[in-house]
Each structure stands twice: as C-alpha cells, then as structure tokens.
C-alpha cells in the first residue's frame, strides 16, 4: 500500500493508492485474452470513436487536448477512479442480468481485502471521537428462497463523516470503518457504525479537470460498500444509499438503484439511527 504521508488528501495520493490496490488484485489473475474477442471489442470501440469525430467535426486542437488529458490521467494515477466512476456501472449492470438476489452495484476503487474479522454483532474499527451520526446497520443473509445462510460473511467499507476512506486518505487508522463481519448461525448481523458523508471524487487531478471542463459536479451520494458471501452461493458486491440524501438522484458514478436505498429510523434508545437490510444470495 502506498505510504500516504502528505497532510492533505490529494488526487495524486489517493490515485496512486487506488492504482496500487488494483494492481495487487489483478496480479492474482492469469486468464489469457481471447484474440477474437479483443479484435471485436477494440475494433467496435475505435469505430465508435471515429464516428464521433466525424459527427462532431473534432479538430486537431480538441484531439491534442484529449491526448494531453489522457496522459495526465495516467500521471495522476486516476485510471481506477475514472473507470470506476464512468464505466464500471455498465459492466455491473451486465453482470447482474443473470442474478435474482440482492441487486449489486459498483465496487469502486477503495476495497481492501482482509479487513479485521468481527463477530455478528460488532462495532466497526473507528476512532474514539469518530464524527457522524451513529448507525446500527442490521439484517439477515439468506438464499434467494429465504433460507438462512449460517456464518455468511459481510465485508463492509465506507467513507467517514468527511467523505474519506482509510488507506486512501492521510491520517486515518489503517482499518478505520472497514470490517469483515461473520454473521451468526441464522445469517444475522448487527453492525454499529456511523453514517458516511457524501463522497467527492478528487478534483485536483485529471478527473477534476474533466468535471470542470464539462460543467458536471464531482459528488457521489453517501453510501456503504458491501461484499456479502456464503458457502455455495455467489458473492454480491453492492452499495447502500440513504433516502433523501444529497446526490442520490444525481450520482456522478450512476451506481444508485431504487432497491439499494435505505430508510433509517431514529433508534428507540436515542443512540442514533438504525436500519435493517436483508441480503439474498444466488446459488453458485
Ligand atoms: C469512486 C469512489 C467511490 O467511493 C466509489 O464508491 C466509486 C468510485 C471513485 O473515486 O472513482
Ligand atoms: Fe465509495
């Protein structure tokens, strides 16, 4: 993991960490690309690009601006951020077409495997004075038919109340707001955490430059990230959002689905908010 020693969260630092995280994940994969498929996909991508150039009479100045920008995306380490914000949602949509259970959503660039293992009722690792409204996030993991899945695994990671992810922004404890919760023998879990803040994608790098140039905004709605799995079942990667939250209807990463919006209520004991969300996993 990149050693983030700068005081401020910068695009270059979080981009470098996200790039390194992706490389270590990708190293484990060895599949050979199918020549025919590469030919088809790349040829269609290039043809679509050529068509856009003709249709919009793209100039040399615009071509050179694109070239300079693409070079900068690499220099800033922002390929993971760029792809996960503007491309991954369609890959996820295609992957989800063959599943019946809980809807998936994009993984994004900030998953780190092997977060601390925690029992079915747990508080996520957090600072003593962690800011934000406390949230009890509870539920049950079942098969699509409703049968409980004992000892299901609920991996959760989220931004803090400032919208920062541990291991990608400076100054946060290594596993802050990250955990691997093992559900009980009925698939139930109770996770004590805080409500995350909306997340602003870094604006001081190439992605920020694009956002300003196109007149867009850089925000994702507040969200919890999850990977839920159980033996004999398909792992689901998803995100959960908060009803009425800013940018829920206007996510820069186009990753919100109506089935993934939580409606927390105020906890009876005045300790914050609570919400129940159950996961249904497809068979492997
Ligand atoms: C990005 C960040 C996220 O937290 C997320 O969920 C998806 C994408 C990004 O910066 O690319
Ligand atoms: Fe995120």
């Amino acid at each position: 993991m990149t050693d983030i020693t700068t005081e401020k969260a910068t695009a270059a630092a979080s981009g470098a960490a996200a790039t390194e995280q992706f490389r270590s994940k990708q190293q484990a994969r060895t599949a050979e690309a199918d020549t025919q498929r590469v030919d088809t996909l790349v040829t269609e991508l290039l043809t679509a690009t050529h068509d856009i150039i003709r249709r919009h009479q793209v100039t040399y100045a615009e071509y050179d601006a694109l070239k300079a920008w693409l070079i900068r995306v690499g220099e800033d380490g922002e390929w993971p951020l760029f792809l996960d914000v503007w491309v991954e949602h369609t890959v996820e949509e295609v992957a989800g077409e063959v599943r019946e259970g809980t809807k998936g959503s994009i993984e994004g660039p900030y998953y780190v495997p092997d977060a601390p293992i925690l029992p079915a009722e747990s508080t996520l690792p957090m600072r003593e004075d962690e800011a934000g409204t406390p949230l009890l996030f509870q539920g049950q993991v079942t098969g699509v038919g409703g049968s409980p899945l004992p000892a299901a695994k609920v991996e959760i990671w989220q931004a803090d109340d400032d919208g920062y992810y541990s291991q990608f922004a400076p100054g946060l404890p290594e596993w802050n707001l990250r955990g691997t919760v093992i559900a009980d023998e009925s698939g139930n879990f109770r996770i004590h955490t805080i409500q995350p803040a909306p997340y602003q994608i870094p604006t001081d790098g190439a992605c920020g430059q694009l956002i300003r140039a196109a007149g867009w905004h850089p925000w994702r709605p507040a969200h919890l990230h999850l990977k839920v799995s159980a033996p004999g079942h398909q792992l689901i990667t998803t995100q959960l959002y908060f009803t009425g939250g800013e940018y829920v209807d206007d996510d820069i990463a186009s990753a919100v689905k109506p089935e993934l919006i939580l409606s927390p209520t105020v906890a009876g004991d005045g300790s914050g908010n609570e919400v129940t969300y159950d996961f249904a996993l497809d068979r492997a």
Side-chain angles (χ1 to χ4, degrees):
M1 187 59 51
T2 301
D3 180 25
I4 303 170
T5 49
T6 47
E7 285 299 303
K8 265 179 72 232
T10 61
S14 78
T19 299
E20 207 174 303
Q21 181 57 43
F22 176 73
R23 282 204 181 115
S24 63
K25 174 171 102 172
Q26 191 63 6
Q27 263 163 16
R29 300 190 179 159
T30 52
E32 284 274 310
D34 177 80
T35 305
Q36 181 77 55
R37 187 139 171 100
V38 174
D39 176 28
T40 302
L41 297 182
V42 177
T43 299
E44 287 199 25
L45 178 66
L46 291 172
T47 303
T49 306
H50 305 154
D51 288 347
I52 292 167
I53 293 167
R54 289 193 193 94
R55 189 159 62 243
H56 297 281
Q57 299 282 286
V58 170
T59 66
Y60 256 101
E62 288 168 334
Y63 173 68
D64 286 342
L66 171 67
K67 212 164 162 178
W69 182 78
L70 289 171
I71 291 167
R72 185 168 172 201
V73 178
E75 286 169 351
D76 289 347
E78 285 200 338
W79 280 117
L81 279 69
F82 172 78
L83 289 165
D84 294 350
V85 166
W86 285 295
V87 181
E88 188 187 352
H89 63 90
T90 311
V91 180
E92 193 286 316
E93 174 191 314
V94 170
E97 281 168 8
V98 294
R99 282 194 306 258
E100 282 179 55
T102 300
K103 296 285 183 202
S105 186
I106 65 172
E107 176 173 317
Y110 299 145
Y111 171 66
V112 183
D114 304 321
I117 295 195
L118 304 168
E121 172 149 17
S122 294
T123 301
L124 290 189
M126 63 174 80
R127 292 159 288 185
E128 237 166 66
D129 56 350
E130 192 71 47
T133 307
L135 175 71
L136 169 59
F137 171 63
Q138 60 186 347
Q140 185 184 29
V141 185
T142 69
V144 285
S147 52
L149 297 178
K153 209 162 79 174
V154 179
E155 290 182 88
I156 180 167
W157 71 104
Q158 64 172 93
D160 66 12
D161 191 53
D162 293 320
Y164 291 123
Y165 287 88
S166 59
Q167 302 190 36
F168 297 88
L172 296 169
E174 187 177 19
W175 295 105
N176 211 56
L177 300 174
R178 296 175 180 272
T180 303
V181 176
I182 308 299
D184 69 14
E185 62 286 348
S186 305
N188 291 307
F189 61 88
R190 279 166 69 84
I191 301 170
H192 299 268
T193 182
I194 54 112
Q195 277 194 215
Y199 168 81
Q200 184 181 27
I201 77 163
T203 52
D204 60 326
C207 289
Q209 190 186 16
L210 169 63
I211 285 166
R212 278 187 300 280
W216 301 336
H217 74 71
W219 292 95
R220 299 214 57 224
H223 55 277
L224 302 172
H225 286 274
L226 295 133
K227 282 182 183 283
V228 182
S229 57
H233 291 75
Q234 291 180 41
L235 178 150
I236 185 80
T237 300
T238 194
Q239 301 188 17
L240 295 170
Y241 305 91
F242 297 89
T243 190
E246 268 186 299
Y247 310 108
V248 168
D249 299 321
D250 189 21
D251 176 13
I252 183 79
S254 310
V256 178
K257 299 178 185 181
E259 300 89 342
L260 300 177
I261 301 176
L262 301 171
S263 300
T265 56
V266 176
D269 61 2
S271 62
N273 291 341
E274 61 184 30
V275 70
T276 300
Y277 193 87
D278 299 327
F279 296 91
L281 304 186
D282 286 74
R283 284 207 164 276

